[in-house]
Amino acid sequence: MSELGQLLKKARLEKGLSLDDVQEATKIRKRYLEAIEEGDYKVLPGSFYVRAFVKTYAETVGLNPDEILQYYRNDIPATEPETNSEPIIRKKRSVQHSDRFGRWATTLLMWAFVILIIVILYFFLVKTSDTPNNQTADDTKITDSESPSPVAGEGNKGDAAGGNGGNTSTEPPVTPEPEPKPIVVLEKSSRSEDNFVVAAPDNGKLEVEITSTGGYSWLGVFVGNRQGERLYYENLDDGKTVKYEMPDKGMAIRMGRADFITVKIAGEVIPDGDVAGLKNMNLKLVPYEEAQKLQQEAGGAGNTGNSGTNGTSTP
């Protein structure tokens, strides 16, 4: 076993991961992972894949991949030039051209929208200013001439009866009660797993939004628990977002790199510890009243009697 393989295997065992877990998180075949730990790089399909697989393996077990590749550069085979580099370069150039065209199209559409708004406002103002002022003055004269004269004895009925004429009392405005918000309570937490209790107002529906930020990461989303129905089971590219409606049985989320993934429930970010490795998140859906009690027991901020103003609380 090589020194690099021993280091990777030690880091894997410290995180409590098997080769099957690493294979599931990185999508690298188990026999390639075993070859990396043994230092038998001839098993791998090429020198380029050796560096790529070592880097991915190091990221998954929480090591710095750049430092690993730099320190063990003499042990890792050098990358051989690929014969099909020209098509790859052409493809990248075509992608750059398409991105540039998309940015230009977006800019043109934005300016066209602004110009359209200006034109509409201009025509509206011109039409308003063209209204004759003489017509307003004539209407005022006709109205004044046709107004009936007050009958003697009837002009001050309001003053005689009430003393204040037509004035009425004004009641102070009623302040509406704030709308209830979803509740998320952290029930149990460890480095590799967090258990949350969630509830929606009036036992409605909750939207769960999962986004990859900072790099790609393997993601598994299940109904109820990790033995339930799979909603998502593959790598989540950087910048990609998946959304699901919270099932009645709850939800389980398994992240290969928790520091690259952001989870939101009803628009609120749920803390996951930003672990640079494997992390499990279990979401249990309960009735709203039960979640309120758990939040109060956990010392959740934002409870004001029955007003329904609730936030995310942690023990």
Side-chain angles (χ1 to χ4, degrees), residues 111-186:
W111 279 108
F113 182 73
V114 172
I115 292 172
L116 178 61
I117 293 177
I118 294 174
V119 171
I120 292 174
L121 291 175
Y122 173 80
F123 279 107
F124 177 79
L125 294 175
V126 169
K127 184 177 180 181
T128 304
S129 62
D130 288 342
T131 303
N133 294 328
N134 294 333
Q135 182 179 355
T136 305
D138 294 340
D139 293 342
T140 304
K141 291 180 180 179
I142 295 172
T143 304
D144 293 341
S145 62
E146 293 180 355
S147 299
S149 300
V151 180
E154 295 181 359
N156 296 322
K157 284 184 177 181
D159 294 340
N164 292 327
N167 294 333
T168 58
S169 60
T170 303
E171 296 182 358
V174 179
T175 303
E177 294 184 357
E179 296 183 358
K181 295 182 180 180
I183 297 177
V184 181
V185 181
L186 180 60

Side-chain angles (χ1 to χ4, degrees), residues 74 79 98 104-105 109 145 166 178 214 221 232 267 274 306 313:
N74 296 328
T79 304
S98 62
W104 274 105
L109 287 175
S145 62
V221 183
Y232 192 93
D274 285 339
N306 295 324
S313 68

Side-chain angles (χ1 to χ4, degrees), residues 210-246:
I210 307 172
T211 304
S212 177
T213 56
Y216 81 93
S217 174
W218 182 87
L219 175 67
V221 183
F222 310 87
V223 175
N225 52 49
R226 293 197 298 274
Q227 285 72 43
E229 176 188 355
R230 293 180 180 179
L231 301 178
Y232 192 93
Y233 197 78
E234 58 182 288
N235 283 329
L236 187 65
D237 295 332
D238 185 15
K240 184 178 180 181
T241 299
V242 293
K243 297 180 181 180
Y244 301 98
E245 188 176 276
M246 175 72 72

Side-chain angles (χ1 to χ4, degrees), residues 217 255-262 272-280:
S217 174
M255 299 167 281
R257 286 291 300 267
D259 55 336
F260 287 167
I261 291 182
T262 300
D272 57 13
D274 285 339
V275 178
L278 198 64
K279 183 79 173 190
N280 296 311

Side-chain angles (χ1 to χ4, degrees), residues 46-59:
S47 59
F48 171 79
Y49 292 96
V50 174
R51 298 179 66 86
F53 288 175
V54 169
K55 181 177 181 179
T56 304
Y57 192 160
E59 288 178 346

